[in-house]
Amino acid sequence: MYPLISPLGDRAVRLTFGNRLTEKANDSVQAAYFRLNHSELPYISEMVPGYVTLTVYYDPLKVPAYNKMLHQLKNAAKAGQPLENDFSQKRHLILPVYYGGNKGPDLEEVARWNSLETEEVIKRHTRATYRVYMMGFAPGFPYLGELDETLATPRRKTPRKKVPSGSVGIAGPQTGVYSVDSPGGWQIIGHTPVRLFDAGKEEPVLIKAGDLISFKSVNEQEYEDIFHECEKGIYRPSIESKEE
């Protein structure tokens, strides 16, 4: 019965809530993360939620006994317990995106690969509400699902040495947003001026696992206006609460 708990080195354990990615399994991960955050167990030092796993890092000097810790973690994170009200209120963020041009150099490739017009790619990409299944390889990078299967496109054969932060991309059946400048091989279809990661802020990461994300297509002038507001620190993306 889930969660299954397995050791991960001498300072962490991994809680597993399923053997494949489903919304139910990911809900259990997010609920366990929420419950353990509010459990006040003194030995927990950090937690990392994944698609179907939750990795719990602990301070071995504060653990009462290893088996007792496993029992406490399993009880606190037990799948099927009612969700607290705070967890059931998911955030829904709407990010403005300028598609195509020099901000989305691979938009035409995505359209060609899927036998679509570029406007149809934008329409299908913006009409979905995406779930943040987990945070990824860079600070603040969200792995989103589910991408319309008619937009799935292989990664670039030759990755770029630098992809600007804010770039919106597609890689196979996934879509996501680069949170920092980094190398990458995703097909870049647009750019959002909203910063997903800002090390200078008290809360540096804008998006969290479990959030819902929508993209809104904006024209060049709207993009420039939002970009300047972001530079001044006065732009606030639309954030709504949504019952799950």
Side-chain angles (χ1 to χ4, degrees):
M1 176 180 287
Y2 295 114
L4 302 177
I5 303 183
S6 55
L8 194 67
D10 59 356
R11 292 176 178 267
V13 293
R14 176 166 291 167
L15 283 64
T16 302
F17 294 87
N19 55 14
R20 64 187 181 90
L21 175 60
T22 63
E23 287 195 5
K24 182 178 180 181
N26 192 252
D27 270 342
S28 295
V29 172
Q30 299 305 325
Y33 179 75
F34 178 86
R35 294 186 189 107
L36 288 171
N37 255 338
H38 291 76
S39 68
E40 298 183 354
L41 294 174
Y43 48 79
I44 295 178
S45 56
E46 185 181 0
M47 292 187 290
V48 180
Y51 282 124
V52 297
T53 63
L54 177 64
T55 301
V56 180
Y57 293 88
Y58 60 86
D59 183 344
L61 298 179
K62 296 181 180 179
V63 172
Y66 187 75
N67 287 336
K68 183 176 181 179
M69 177 188 72
L70 298 185
H71 181 73
Q72 289 176 333
L73 292 177
K74 192 161 189 174
N75 281 345
K78 188 176 180 181
Q81 290 181 352
L83 299 181
E84 288 83 349
N85 289 335
D86 286 347
F87 175 75
S88 65
Q89 289 282 344
K90 289 183 178 293
R91 299 192 313 161
H92 183 189
L93 291 81
I94 301 174
L95 299 179
V97 177
Y98 180 65
Y99 288 90
N102 62 355
K103 301 298 183 183
D106 300 320
L107 177 62
E108 291 187 2
E109 171 59 20
V110 171
R112 184 197 64 78
W113 180 268
N114 293 288
S115 300
L116 298 170
E117 298 294 330
T118 56
E119 287 302 316
E120 185 62 23
V121 172
I122 296 170
K123 180 180 178 181
R124 296 185 187 193
H125 193 258
T126 56
R127 73 184 177 190
T129 297
Y130 301 94
R131 177 190 184 94
V132 182
Y133 277 108
M134 62 177 285
M135 303 305 291
F137 71 93
F141 184 99
Y143 282 94
L144 308 177
E146 303 286 334
L147 177 69
D148 188 321
E149 62 183 14
T150 63
L151 299 181
T153 310
R155 296 169 183 260
R156 289 171 52 85
K157 292 182 179 179
T158 303
R160 293 182 171 93
K161 294 182 180 180
K162 179 181 178 181
V163 178
S165 63
S167 295
V168 179
I170 289 175
Q174 299 180 104
T175 188
V177 186
Y178 282 75
S179 54
V180 296
D181 294 350
S182 67
W186 290 42
Q187 304 282 358
I188 304 305
I189 62 173
H191 188 273
T192 179
V194 178
R195 291 185 180 179
L196 274 58
F197 177 75
D198 187 341
K201 289 187 176 181
E202 185 174 344
E203 292 189 12
V205 177
L206 175 65
I207 296 173
K208 302 175 182 178
D211 284 344
L212 302 174
I213 305 294
S214 292
F215 298 109
K216 177 184 178 182
S217 178
V218 296
N219 61 36
E220 187 172 7
Q221 186 57 59
E222 291 171 325
Y223 172 89
E224 291 296 333
D225 291 343
I226 296 171
F227 176 84
H228 291 304
E229 289 183 15
C230 289
E231 288 293 293
K232 295 177 182 178
I234 59 176
Y235 182 80
R236 297 291 181 270
S238 175
I239 301 178
E240 306 168 351
S241 293
K242 183 177 181 179
E243 289 279 358
E244 285 290 297

